[in-house]
Amino acid sequence: MSRWLLALGLAFLWLPILLLGAYAFSADRIPFQWGGFSLRWFAALAGNERVIEASLLSLRVAAGAASLAVLLGGLTGWVLARWGRFRGRALFGIMAGAPLVLPEVVTGLSLLLLFVVIQGAAEAWAGWRLDRGAGTIVLAHATLGLAYVAVLVQARLARLDPRLQDAAADLGAGPGTVFRTVTLPQILPTLAVGWLLAFTLSLDDVVVASFVSGPAGTTLPILIFSSLRMGLTPEVNALGVVILGASMLTAGVLACFIRRKPPPLG
């Protein structure tokens, strides 16, 4: 019985993806109608400059947002795990974890209002015009990602043995040396996982980005969502196959790197 339930669960998850991949090779213009095997939509995707520009922008935004989320989220998790009790700790923890429970519509609207206020203050006080675009999307996605990174780092630091750091300090290592040689190597895999998680969240987001983006901030999810009004073409299916292939290739390379045995000493 359990095997049948597992098979049904896997089919429910993978059947839509497999259908999308199959129809990407259809010659028919209707996305979900088979018209014979063809690679025309992959060729059309390669010549679609709007999709390529939006994809590159999404990758740059996701990389920047993930890096900023790891920096801020790592510091947040460190404060919550190692600074003990301090005034305002409960409020700080609630604010840091708020993006985990707030609807994305509320988060996107709140960030939009914040950027509008900042833009108005910059124009009034300094004469600067700060338009919404890729920069505001990076900040918004970093706000979402840092909450996840903070939770991961806090949980990891709570499981570390503090005696290792005490031993390094007893041997004469300063706080910076202790962090660099003892703490950082132990939380580095957690930071890598947090970076990948924040990268994926940013690459997939359309709700928050639609609030804080401008004319120069059309990411790939926004472009695909806006194309629903005019009707999708099998180019979207081809794009899904490319993204799926890149994801599986990356996962395979990471798996081989993790399983690789270290060379023998001597």
Side-chain angles (χ1 to χ4, degrees):
M1 184 64 180
S2 59
R3 293 183 178 179
W4 283 105
L5 292 176
L6 178 61
L8 289 175
L10 292 176
F12 178 79
L13 292 174
W14 279 97
L15 186 59
I17 299 177
L18 295 178
L19 287 175
L20 181 145
Y23 283 115
F25 298 93
S26 173
D28 201 289
R29 184 172 180 81
I30 301 177
F32 303 106
Q33 180 173 316
W34 184 256
F37 182 84
S38 175
L39 297 176
R40 59 174 294 195
W41 300 114
F42 290 91
L45 178 64
N48 194 327
E49 295 183 358
R50 291 187 61 195
V51 174
I52 294 176
E53 291 178 359
S55 301
L56 295 177
L57 177 62
S58 294
L59 292 175
R60 292 196 299 267
V61 167
S67 301
L68 187 59
V70 167
L71 177 61
L72 299 178
L75 293 175
T76 303
W78 178 272
V79 169
L80 292 175
R82 292 300 172 86
W83 277 31
R85 296 185 179 274
F86 56 90
R87 181 178 299 179
R89 185 185 189 279
L91 179 61
F92 179 76
I94 292 174
M95 293 179 63
L100 296 174
V101 295
L102 286 178
E104 291 187 353
V105 174
V106 176
T107 303
L109 181 59
S110 302
L111 291 171
L112 172 61
L113 295 176
L114 175 63
F115 292 143
V116 169
V117 172
I118 294 176
Q119 181 179 1
E123 291 181 359
W125 295 347
W128 295 345
R129 179 172 179 83
L130 303 177
D131 295 329
R132 294 189 300 274
T136 54
I137 301 176
V138 170
L139 295 177
H141 286 176
T143 303
L144 295 176
L146 74 85
Y148 293 88
V149 177
V151 171
L152 293 174
V153 172
Q154 182 182 4
R156 178 56 179 162
L157 289 174
R159 296 175 57 186
L160 293 183
D161 189 356
R163 293 176 296 181
L164 297 176
Q165 303 176 30
D166 295 338
D170 292 339
L171 293 174
T177 304
V178 172
F179 176 79
R180 187 179 66 255
T181 59
V182 178
T183 307
L184 184 59
Q186 296 184 79
I187 66 173
L188 194 59
T190 303
L191 295 177
V193 171
W195 192 93
L196 292 174
L197 180 59
F199 182 88
T200 305
L201 290 173
S202 175
L203 197 63
D204 181 64
D205 176 72
V206 65
V207 177
V208 175
S210 62
F211 278 97
V212 302
S213 64
T218 303
T219 60
L220 183 61
I222 294 178
L223 180 63
I224 295 176
F225 185 76
S226 62
S227 65
L228 289 173
R229 302 175 182 177
M230 298 178 292
L232 295 175
T233 65
E235 284 185 49
V236 178
N237 298 343
L239 179 62
V241 172
V242 172
I243 295 176
L244 179 62
S247 301
M248 295 181 65
L249 179 62
T250 303
V253 172
L254 291 176
C256 294
F257 179 77
I258 292 174
R259 294 179 181 178
R260 186 179 62 181
K261 296 181 179 180
L265 298 176

